[in-house]
Amino acid sequence: MNKTTSPDDKMHPKSSLYLCPICKQHLEPVQRSFKCVNNHLFDIAKEGYINLLPVNKKRSKAPGDSKAMLLARRDFLTAGYYQCLVKALEETLKAQCKHDLTTVLDLGCGEGFYGRELQQLLADRFNHVGFWGGGHF
């Protein structure tokens, strides 16, 4: 997401699919964050993902992947090694969604590589599909 893009962009549904992990209320996009009615706030990382793991549930001071690991994963994926998986996901979505596809939720897949690839591949078939997840805010 660049600095001029917001969570309200036309590619995203108006209402969030996410629930607050603390109080289970809906999280709504607010600038570069998501917030619930109880004011629990989750920022969108500069890489474009949102981490919904509450601080008191993290088991290390630096949970998740390091910056070096994120860059290595990005290089690996953009080199095309998993393009066969992207193609299989595309074919599955096209086969399962006969009429229209409105929302794809990409969770636990890093910073959204698969969602971005699918968004480009499916744009001609599904007019108003919203992608949520890593890198889609």
Side-chain angles (χ1 to χ4, degrees):
M1 176 162 114
N2 63 41
K3 292 184 183 193
T4 62
T5 313
S6 75
D8 294 324
D9 250 350
K10 65 181 179 178
M11 288 306 295
H12 301 294
K14 293 290 184 198
S15 182
S16 171
L17 299 176
Y18 303 119
L19 294 180
C20 176
I22 298 167
C23 66
K24 309 300 185 239
Q25 298 298 313
H26 282 278
L27 290 170
E28 299 297 334
V30 178
Q31 297 176 350
R32 293 208 30 90
S33 303
F34 280 81
K35 184 167 90 170
C36 71
V37 295
N38 294 314
N39 291 319
H40 299 123
L41 188 69
F42 300 88
D43 292 333
I44 298 170
K46 66 181 177 183
E47 296 83 7
Y49 66 86
I50 181 172
N51 185 344
L52 296 177
L53 184 63
V55 174
N56 64 340
K57 300 291 184 188
K58 295 179 180 177
R59 295 185 180 179
S60 76
K61 291 184 180 184
D65 296 329
S66 67
K67 184 175 182 177
M69 184 62 201
L70 288 171
L71 293 173
R73 179 186 298 123
R74 185 180 300 155
D75 289 345
F76 178 83
L77 291 171
T78 56
Y81 295 110
Y82 277 13
Q83 207 58 35
C84 59
L85 178 56
V86 171
K87 191 67 178 166
L89 290 168
E90 175 194 15
E91 291 171 6
T92 300
L93 286 172
K94 284 182 175 179
Q96 296 296 318
C97 303
K98 300 290 184 199
H99 302 290
D100 200 10
L101 178 65
T102 58
T103 305
V104 173
L105 186 59
D106 177 5
L107 296 177
C109 298
E111 58 183 90
F113 169 79
Y114 299 104
R116 281 191 303 275
E117 292 288 307
L118 290 168
Q119 188 173 25
Q120 291 175 350
L121 292 169
L122 298 173
D124 64 330
R125 170 132 182 212
F126 302 112
N127 296 329
H128 303 289
V129 62
F131 280 78
W132 284 87
H136 299 286
F137 299 104

PDB file of all heavy atoms in Angstrom, residues 27-49:
ATOM      1  N   LEU A  27     -13.609  -5.014  13.502  1.00  0.00           N
ATOM      2  CA  LEU A  27     -12.562  -4.019  13.296  1.00  0.00           C
ATOM      3  C   LEU A  27     -12.871  -3.277  12.012  1.00  0.00           C
ATOM      4  O   LEU A  27     -13.157  -3.897  10.984  1.00  0.00           O
ATOM      5  CB  LEU A  27     -11.187  -4.689  13.184  1.00  0.00           C
ATOM      6  CG  LEU A  27     -10.637  -5.288  14.468  1.00  0.00           C
ATOM      7  CD1 LEU A  27      -9.406  -6.130  14.168  1.00  0.00           C
ATOM      8  CD2 LEU A  27     -10.298  -4.194  15.469  1.00  0.00           C
ATOM      9  N   GLU A  28     -12.813  -1.962  12.056  1.00  0.00           N
ATOM     10  CA  GLU A  28     -13.093  -1.138  10.887  1.00  0.00           C
ATOM     11  C   GLU A  28     -11.843  -0.359  10.503  1.00  0.00           C
ATOM     12  O   GLU A  28     -11.063   0.046  11.365  1.00  0.00           O
ATOM     13  CB  GLU A  28     -14.251  -0.174  11.167  1.00  0.00           C
ATOM     14  CG  GLU A  28     -15.560  -0.872  11.492  1.00  0.00           C
ATOM     15  CD  GLU A  28     -16.107  -1.731  10.354  1.00  0.00           C
ATOM     16  OE1 GLU A  28     -15.798  -1.451   9.176  1.00  0.00           O
ATOM     17  OE2 GLU A  28     -16.829  -2.694  10.648  1.00  0.00           O
ATOM     18  N   PRO A  29     -11.648  -0.125   9.199  1.00  0.00           N
ATOM     19  CA  PRO A  29     -10.479   0.639   8.759  1.00  0.00           C
ATOM     20  C   PRO A  29     -10.566   2.102   9.193  1.00  0.00           C
ATOM     21  O   PRO A  29     -11.602   2.736   9.040  1.00  0.00           O
ATOM     22  CB  PRO A  29     -10.533   0.518   7.231  1.00  0.00           C
ATOM     23  CG  PRO A  29     -11.909   0.082   6.898  1.00  0.00           C
ATOM     24  CD  PRO A  29     -12.486  -0.578   8.099  1.00  0.00           C
ATOM     25  N   VAL A  30      -9.469   2.582   9.770  1.00  0.00           N
ATOM     26  CA  VAL A  30      -9.338   3.980  10.175  1.00  0.00           C
ATOM     27  C   VAL A  30      -7.925   4.411   9.814  1.00  0.00           C
ATOM     28  O   VAL A  30      -6.974   3.979  10.456  1.00  0.00           O
ATOM     29  CB  VAL A  30      -9.569   4.155  11.698  1.00  0.00           C
ATOM     30  CG1 VAL A  30      -9.382   5.601  12.115  1.00  0.00           C
ATOM     31  CG2 VAL A  30     -10.929   3.648  12.108  1.00  0.00           C
ATOM     32  N   GLN A  31      -7.785   5.214   8.771  1.00  0.00           N
ATOM     33  CA  GLN A  31      -6.486   5.646   8.250  1.00  0.00           C
ATOM     34  C   GLN A  31      -5.603   4.436   7.993  1.00  0.00           C
ATOM     35  O   GLN A  31      -5.964   3.580   7.227  1.00  0.00           O
ATOM     36  CB  GLN A  31      -5.872   6.687   9.174  1.00  0.00           C
ATOM     37  CG  GLN A  31      -6.700   7.952   9.251  1.00  0.00           C
ATOM     38  CD  GLN A  31      -6.172   8.951  10.234  1.00  0.00           C
ATOM     39  OE1 GLN A  31      -5.279   8.676  11.023  1.00  0.00           O
ATOM     40  NE2 GLN A  31      -6.723  10.140  10.189  1.00  0.00           N
ATOM     41  N   ARG A  32      -4.464   4.313   8.661  1.00  0.00           N
ATOM     42  CA  ARG A  32      -3.552   3.182   8.432  1.00  0.00           C
ATOM     43  C   ARG A  32      -3.645   2.159   9.561  1.00  0.00           C
ATOM     44  O   ARG A  32      -2.659   1.547   9.950  1.00  0.00           O
ATOM     45  CB  ARG A  32      -2.119   3.686   8.275  1.00  0.00           C
ATOM     46  CG  ARG A  32      -1.950   4.502   7.017  1.00  0.00           C
ATOM     47  CD  ARG A  32      -0.565   4.498   6.422  1.00  0.00           C
ATOM     48  NE  ARG A  32       0.269   3.361   6.600  1.00  0.00           N
ATOM     49  CZ  ARG A  32       0.329   2.304   5.775  1.00  0.00           C
ATOM     50  NH1 ARG A  32      -0.430   2.241   4.724  1.00  0.00           N
ATOM     51  NH2 ARG A  32       1.176   1.331   6.005  1.00  0.00           N
ATOM     52  N   SER A  33      -4.854   1.971  10.084  1.00  0.00           N
ATOM     53  CA  SER A  33      -5.092   1.064  11.202  1.00  0.00           C
ATOM     54  C   SER A  33      -6.471   0.438  11.065  1.00  0.00           C
ATOM     55  O   SER A  33      -7.251   0.820  10.208  1.00  0.00           O
ATOM     56  CB  SER A  33      -5.040   1.820  12.531  1.00  0.00           C
ATOM     57  OG  SER A  33      -3.820   2.478  12.709  1.00  0.00           O
ATOM     58  N   PHE A  34      -6.741  -0.515  11.961  1.00  0.00           N
ATOM     59  CA  PHE A  34      -8.078  -1.057  12.137  1.00  0.00           C
ATOM     60  C   PHE A  34      -8.420  -0.895  13.606  1.00  0.00           C
ATOM     61  O   PHE A  34      -7.579  -1.128  14.475  1.00  0.00           O
ATOM     62  CB  PHE A  34      -8.129  -2.530  11.729  1.00  0.00           C
ATOM     63  CG  PHE A  34      -8.232  -2.728  10.247  1.00  0.00           C
ATOM     64  CD1 PHE A  34      -7.112  -2.656   9.446  1.00  0.00           C
ATOM     65  CD2 PHE A  34      -9.462  -2.970   9.649  1.00  0.00           C
ATOM     66  CE1 PHE A  34      -7.201  -2.825   8.084  1.00  0.00           C
ATOM     67  CE2 PHE A  34      -9.567  -3.137   8.279  1.00  0.00           C
ATOM     68  CZ  PHE A  34      -8.436  -3.068   7.496  1.00  0.00           C
ATOM     69  N   LYS A  35      -9.662  -0.488  13.888  1.00  0.00           N
ATOM     70  CA  LYS A  35     -10.067  -0.196  15.254  1.00  0.00           C
ATOM     71  C   LYS A  35     -11.472  -0.732  15.500  1.00  0.00           C
ATOM     72  O   LYS A  35     -12.326  -0.682  14.622  1.00  0.00           O
ATOM     73  CB  LYS A  35     -10.032   1.320  15.475  1.00  0.00           C
ATOM     74  CG  LYS A  35     -10.336   1.772  16.874  1.00  0.00           C
ATOM     75  CD  LYS A  35      -9.985   3.233  17.083  1.00  0.00           C
ATOM     76  CE  LYS A  35     -11.144   4.121  16.762  1.00  0.00           C
ATOM     77  NZ  LYS A  35     -10.914   5.516  17.167  1.00  0.00           N
ATOM     78  N   CYS A  36     -11.707  -1.224  16.723  1.00  0.00           N
ATOM     79  CA  CYS A  36     -13.043  -1.686  17.106  1.00  0.00           C
ATOM     80  C   CYS A  36     -13.743  -0.595  17.908  1.00  0.00           C
ATOM     81  O   CYS A  36     -13.146   0.429  18.250  1.00  0.00           O
ATOM     82  CB  CYS A  36     -12.946  -2.979  17.909  1.00  0.00           C
ATOM     83  SG  CYS A  36     -12.284  -2.767  19.569  1.00  0.00           S
ATOM     84  N   VAL A  37     -15.008  -0.828  18.239  1.00  0.00           N
ATOM     85  CA  VAL A  37     -15.780   0.161  18.999  1.00  0.00           C
ATOM     86  C   VAL A  37     -15.223   0.367  20.405  1.00  0.00           C
ATOM     87  O   VAL A  37     -15.502   1.382  21.034  1.00  0.00           O
ATOM     88  CB  VAL A  37     -17.283  -0.220  19.073  1.00  0.00           C
ATOM     89  CG1 VAL A  37     -17.916  -0.194  17.701  1.00  0.00           C
ATOM     90  CG2 VAL A  37     -17.473  -1.560  19.748  1.00  0.00           C
ATOM     91  N   ASN A  38     -14.444  -0.580  20.896  1.00  0.00           N
ATOM     92  CA  ASN A  38     -13.824  -0.443  22.216  1.00  0.00           C
ATOM     93  C   ASN A  38     -12.431   0.181  22.147  1.00  0.00           C
ATOM     94  O   ASN A  38     -11.671   0.129  23.109  1.00  0.00           O
ATOM     95  CB  ASN A  38     -13.768  -1.803  22.909  1.00  0.00           C
ATOM     96  CG  ASN A  38     -15.154  -2.304  23.230  1.00  0.00           C
ATOM     97  OD1 ASN A  38     -15.991  -1.563  23.741  1.00  0.00           O
ATOM     98  ND2 ASN A  38     -15.425  -3.554  22.902  1.00  0.00           N
ATOM     99  N   ASN A  39     -12.107   0.739  20.984  1.00  0.00           N
ATOM    100  CA  ASN A  39     -10.845   1.459  20.748  1.00  0.00           C
ATOM    101  C   ASN A  39      -9.594   0.605  20.802  1.00  0.00           C
ATOM    102  O   ASN A  39      -8.503   1.115  21.049  1.00  0.00           O
ATOM    103  CB  ASN A  39     -10.708   2.665  21.687  1.00  0.00           C
ATOM    104  CG  ASN A  39     -11.700   3.742  21.330  1.00  0.00           C
ATOM    105  OD1 ASN A  39     -11.925   4.023  20.156  1.00  0.00           O
ATOM    106  ND2 ASN A  39     -12.305   4.348  22.338  1.00  0.00           N
ATOM    107  N   HIS A  40      -9.720  -0.703  20.576  1.00  0.00           N
ATOM    108  CA  HIS A  40      -8.525  -1.524  20.396  1.00  0.00           C
ATOM    109  C   HIS A  40      -8.030  -1.239  18.986  1.00  0.00           C
ATOM    110  O   HIS A  40      -8.803  -1.301  18.033  1.00  0.00           O
ATOM    111  CB  HIS A  40      -8.841  -3.011  20.588  1.00  0.00           C
ATOM    112  CG  HIS A  40      -9.353  -3.318  21.953  1.00  0.00           C
ATOM    113  ND1 HIS A  40     -10.574  -3.929  22.167  1.00  0.00           N
ATOM    114  CD2 HIS A  40      -8.816  -3.090  23.179  1.00  0.00           C
ATOM    115  CE1 HIS A  40     -10.760  -4.078  23.479  1.00  0.00           C
ATOM    116  NE2 HIS A  40      -9.701  -3.577  24.113  1.00  0.00           N
ATOM    117  N   LEU A  41      -6.771  -0.925  18.847  1.00  0.00           N
ATOM    118  CA  LEU A  41      -6.220  -0.432  17.582  1.00  0.00           C
ATOM    119  C   LEU A  41      -5.100  -1.343  17.095  1.00  0.00           C
ATOM    120  O   LEU A  41      -4.229  -1.740  17.870  1.00  0.00           O
ATOM    121  CB  LEU A  41      -5.675   0.984  17.790  1.00  0.00           C
ATOM    122  CG  LEU A  41      -5.227   1.744  16.573  1.00  0.00           C
ATOM    123  CD1 LEU A  41      -6.423   2.108  15.698  1.00  0.00           C
ATOM    124  CD2 LEU A  41      -4.506   3.020  16.998  1.00  0.00           C
ATOM    125  N   PHE A  42      -5.132  -1.671  15.798  1.00  0.00           N
ATOM    126  CA  PHE A  42      -4.121  -2.524  15.173  1.00  0.00           C
ATOM    127  C   PHE A  42      -3.616  -1.813  13.927  1.00  0.00           C
ATOM    128  O   PHE A  42      -4.374  -1.584  12.984  1.00  0.00           O
ATOM    129  CB  PHE A  42      -4.715  -3.895  14.833  1.00  0.00           C
ATOM    130  CG  PHE A  42      -5.215  -4.617  16.046  1.00  0.00           C
ATOM    131  CD1 PHE A  42      -6.509  -4.416  16.494  1.00  0.00           C
ATOM    132  CD2 PHE A  42      -4.376  -5.452  16.762  1.00  0.00           C
ATOM    133  CE1 PHE A  42      -6.968  -5.053  17.627  1.00  0.00           C
ATOM    134  CE2 PHE A  42      -4.827  -6.095  17.900  1.00  0.00           C
ATOM    135  CZ  PHE A  42      -6.128  -5.898  18.339  1.00  0.00           C
ATOM    136  N   ASP A  43      -2.350  -1.466  13.933  1.00  0.00           N
ATOM    137  CA  ASP A  43      -1.761  -0.719  12.817  1.00  0.00           C
ATOM    138  C   ASP A  43      -1.443  -1.624  11.639  1.00  0.00           C
ATOM    139  O   ASP A  43      -1.101  -2.795  11.808  1.00  0.00           O
ATOM    140  CB  ASP A  43      -0.465  -0.026  13.253  1.00  0.00           C
ATOM    141  CG  ASP A  43      -0.714   1.088  14.259  1.00  0.00           C
ATOM    142  OD1 ASP A  43      -1.832   1.660  14.245  1.00  0.00           O
ATOM    143  OD2 ASP A  43       0.189   1.386  15.055  1.00  0.00           O
ATOM    144  N   ILE A  44      -1.514  -1.039  10.453  1.00  0.00           N
ATOM    145  CA  ILE A  44      -1.094  -1.726   9.235  1.00  0.00           C
ATOM    146  C   ILE A  44       0.411  -1.484   9.098  1.00  0.00           C
ATOM    147  O   ILE A  44       0.857  -0.342   9.103  1.00  0.00           O
ATOM    148  CB  ILE A  44      -1.842  -1.180   8.009  1.00  0.00           C
ATOM    149  CG1 ILE A  44      -3.349  -1.419   8.174  1.00  0.00           C
ATOM    150  CG2 ILE A  44      -1.325  -1.833   6.731  1.00  0.00           C
ATOM    151  CD1 ILE A  44      -4.198  -0.711   7.148  1.00  0.00           C
ATOM    152  N   ALA A  45       1.175  -2.554   9.003  1.00  0.00           N
ATOM    153  CA  ALA A  45       2.629  -2.452   8.872  1.00  0.00           C
ATOM    154  C   ALA A  45       2.989  -1.804   7.536  1.00  0.00           C
ATOM    155  O   ALA A  45       2.209  -1.852   6.581  1.00  0.00           O
ATOM    156  CB  ALA A  45       3.262  -3.834   8.976  1.00  0.00           C
ATOM    157  N   LYS A  46       4.174  -1.235   7.461  1.00  0.00           N
ATOM    158  CA  LYS A  46       4.595  -0.593   6.205  1.00  0.00           C
ATOM    159  C   LYS A  46       4.666  -1.592   5.058  1.00  0.00           C
ATOM    160  O   LYS A  46       4.531  -1.221   3.902  1.00  0.00           O
ATOM    161  CB  LYS A  46       5.931   0.131   6.379  1.00  0.00           C
ATOM    162  CG  LYS A  46       7.104  -0.777   6.663  1.00  0.00           C
ATOM    163  CD  LYS A  46       8.372   0.019   6.853  1.00  0.00           C
ATOM    164  CE  LYS A  46       9.512  -0.917   7.212  1.00  0.00           C
ATOM    165  NZ  LYS A  46      10.743  -0.186   7.465  1.00  0.00           N
ATOM    166  N   GLU A  47       4.823  -2.880   5.365  1.00  0.00           N
ATOM    167  CA  GLU A  47       4.822  -3.921   4.338  1.00  0.00           C
ATOM    168  C   GLU A  47       3.410  -4.261   3.877  1.00  0.00           C
ATOM    169  O   GLU A  47       3.224  -5.004   2.928  1.00  0.00           O
ATOM    170  CB  GLU A  47       5.519  -5.191   4.847  1.00  0.00           C
ATOM    171  CG  GLU A  47       6.982  -5.032   5.149  1.00  0.00           C
ATOM    172  CD  GLU A  47       7.250  -4.459   6.535  1.00  0.00           C
ATOM    173  OE1 GLU A  47       6.311  -4.291   7.340  1.00  0.00           O
ATOM    174  OE2 GLU A  47       8.422  -4.163   6.829  1.00  0.00           O
ATOM    175  N   GLY A  48       2.390  -3.753   4.583  1.00  0.00           N
ATOM    176  CA  GLY A  48       1.014  -3.933   4.157  1.00  0.00           C
ATOM    177  C   GLY A  48       0.214  -4.977   4.904  1.00  0.00           C
ATOM    178  O   GLY A  48      -0.930  -5.230   4.577  1.00  0.00           O
ATOM    179  N   TYR A  49       0.763  -5.608   5.936  1.00  0.00           N
ATOM    180  CA  TYR A  49       0.007  -6.619   6.670  1.00  0.00           C
ATOM    181  C   TYR A  49      -0.454  -6.054   8.009  1.00  0.00           C
ATOM    182  O   TYR A  49       0.001  -5.017   8.459  1.00  0.00           O
ATOM    183  CB  TYR A  49       0.830  -7.890   6.878  1.00  0.00           C
ATOM    184  CG  TYR A  49       2.033  -7.695   7.767  1.00  0.00           C
ATOM    185  CD1 TYR A  49       1.919  -7.791   9.143  1.00  0.00           C
ATOM    186  CD2 TYR A  49       3.280  -7.403   7.222  1.00  0.00           C
ATOM    187  CE1 TYR A  49       3.014  -7.592   9.964  1.00  0.00           C
ATOM    188  CE2 TYR A  49       4.377  -7.202   8.027  1.00  0.00           C
ATOM    189  CZ  TYR A  49       4.240  -7.297   9.396  1.00  0.00           C
ATOM    190  OH  TYR A  49       5.320  -7.097  10.212  1.00  0.00           O
TER     191      TYR A  49
END
